[in-house]
Amino acid sequence: MQATQTTQTTQTTPAGETYDQTVNTFSTLQDQLVDMAEGFVRAVPGLVIALFILLLTWIIAKFAVRIADRLTAGTEIRPSLKQLIDTIVRLAIWIVGLMIALIVVMPGMTPASLLAGLGIGAVAIGFAFQDIFENFLAGVLIMVREKMRIGDVIECEGITGKVEHITLRETHVRKLSGELSVVPNSILFKNPVEIFTDKEQRRHEVVVGVSYDTQLDHAADVIRRAVEGLDDVLASKGVDIFAQEFNSSSVDFLVRWWAGSTPRDGWESKDKVVRAIKAALDNAGIEIPFPYVTHTFKEAVPVGQLGDTDRKTP
């Protein structure tokens, strides 16, 4: 026989009578465990059905992502945007599957209460992770718009480099000197971004100075022929030669031409343009002056005194 632990207590009634009350603590605990076991047994069918729903959700999400990939395969959507579409499709299916599974396990729960709970939770999470969601939404909008593709050279907030990867939270920009900058998407979305490689060609420029005794029309013609004769210059789009400024020692020309849009193309074409202009002006006998310094004296200074001063100067 199984022994049970009992506790005997004596209580007095208002009329003065006494009686004994035996409390079987083990029996009470046993009853509670039995109730919990019975509740678990009653919940087993619901749990099995919920697990089956989750498995079915996983299968449906997998096939839905494949269908989305096939629909976007023939389009020109960037890979990062395709990844975003797959994530949204998978997330939407899993949210619906989890809601159905919770309703099966807890019949008292309704779709309206789940949606209300999700709404309150979303607001709380939104305030807690404001910066993260800001970068997420900025990443979505950057992926949707057509500009700033992978491989473009951009400049934003002092960062200049090539776009290597765009995610939902950040963009990887490889600087021209080799360093990698991880830029939050909100910075690229809220600030002006200069895209150097949006087109295959862009305009470059350099300033050339000639001496004041030069015939300017002749100098401009010499510069034009030198620039238009280069292979890297798109002469079909025109070469601009503008007399721009009376400088301290020269008259300056602004020379503009079209070439490749990448920084490397710009540096190479500028190197060839400067070399060609220097050689052409030298052959034409046109001086590219050094900075001149002119001393002006209020009173006449004897030449001999100037010579003595020069000799005394160490």
Side-chain angles (χ1 to χ4, degrees):
M1 295 179 62
Q2 182 178 5
T4 59
Q5 180 181 1
T6 60
T7 302
Q8 184 175 4
T9 60
T10 302
Q11 294 184 356
T12 304
T13 62
E17 299 178 354
T18 62
Y19 66 91
D20 295 336
Q21 180 180 13
T22 302
V23 180
N24 193 334
T25 57
F26 180 79
S27 177
T28 302
L29 179 61
Q30 185 178 15
D31 292 340
Q32 292 179 351
L33 292 175
V34 169
D35 292 339
M36 293 175 60
E38 291 177 353
F40 177 76
V41 171
R42 287 193 299 269
V44 166
L47 292 175
V48 173
I49 296 174
L51 291 176
F52 175 76
I53 292 174
L54 294 179
L55 177 62
L56 186 62
T57 301
W58 177 76
I59 296 174
I60 295 175
K62 187 175 181 180
F63 280 98
V65 170
R66 290 183 179 180
I67 294 173
D69 289 338
R70 291 180 180 179
L71 294 176
T72 58
T75 63
E76 297 181 355
I77 299 177
R78 64 184 67 183
S80 54
L81 185 56
K82 292 181 181 180
Q83 183 181 1
L84 173 62
I85 294 175
D86 293 344
T87 303
I88 293 176
V89 171
R90 186 183 294 109
L91 182 61
I93 293 175
W94 271 106
I95 289 176
V96 174
L98 289 174
M99 290 178 61
I100 296 175
L102 286 174
I103 292 174
V104 170
V105 174
M106 296 177 285
M109 186 173 294
T110 62
S113 61
L114 280 175
L115 292 176
L118 289 175
I120 296 173
V123 172
I125 294 174
F127 278 108
F129 302 97
Q130 182 177 359
D131 293 338
I132 295 177
F133 281 104
E134 182 182 19
N135 290 321
F136 174 82
L137 293 177
V140 173
L141 295 175
I142 288 175
M143 291 179 183
V144 171
R145 67 184 184 187
E146 297 180 358
K147 301 300 181 181
M148 204 179 76
R149 304 177 299 270
I150 302 296
D152 278 336
V153 178
I154 66 170
E155 193 280 329
C156 179
E157 293 295 296
I159 300 174
T160 303
K162 180 184 293 186
V163 178
E164 286 191 347
H165 189 53
I166 301 175
T167 68
L168 289 176
R169 196 188 73 83
E170 61 200 17
T171 298
H172 298 175
V173 179
R174 180 73 62 178
K175 290 186 178 181
L176 302 180
S177 54
E179 299 91 345
L180 179 65
S181 295
V182 180
V183 185
N185 287 330
S186 59
I187 293 178
L188 295 176
F189 187 75
K190 295 190 296 185
N191 295 286
V193 178
E194 186 174 358
I195 304 176
F196 295 104
T197 53
D198 181 59
K199 300 292 184 180
E200 294 183 358
Q201 299 89 25
R202 66 185 179 97
R203 189 152 51 193
H204 308 272
E205 62 183 36
V206 69
V207 176
V208 180
V210 298
S211 60
Y212 273 90
D213 59 356
T214 302
Q215 210 283 328
L216 298 183
D217 291 338
H218 175 58
D221 186 60
V222 171
I223 295 173
R224 185 182 303 278
R225 289 198 304 268
V227 176
E228 290 178 345
L230 297 174
D231 294 335
D232 291 352
V233 174
L234 300 175
S236 60
K237 302 195 73 169
V239 176
D240 298 327
I241 313 292
F242 298 111
Q244 186 181 31
E245 184 181 3
F246 292 103
N247 213 330
S248 58
S249 303
S250 63
V251 178
D252 293 342
F253 284 100
L254 176 65
V255 182
R256 305 194 303 176
W257 69 96
W258 288 85
S261 59
T262 65
R264 182 76 181 184
D265 292 337
W267 296 330
E268 290 180 351
S269 67
K270 189 173 184 178
D271 173 77
K272 293 180 179 179
V273 166
V274 170
R275 293 173 184 268
I277 292 176
K278 175 64 168 59
L281 292 178
D282 289 344
N283 293 334
I286 299 175
E287 179 187 6
I288 302 177
F290 294 99
Y292 296 142
V293 178
T294 302
H295 295 283
T296 303
F297 300 94
K298 294 183 178 181
E299 299 178 355
V301 179
V303 177
Q305 184 177 349
L306 287 175
D308 294 339
T309 304
D310 294 338
R311 284 192 293 271
K312 293 178 181 180
T313 301

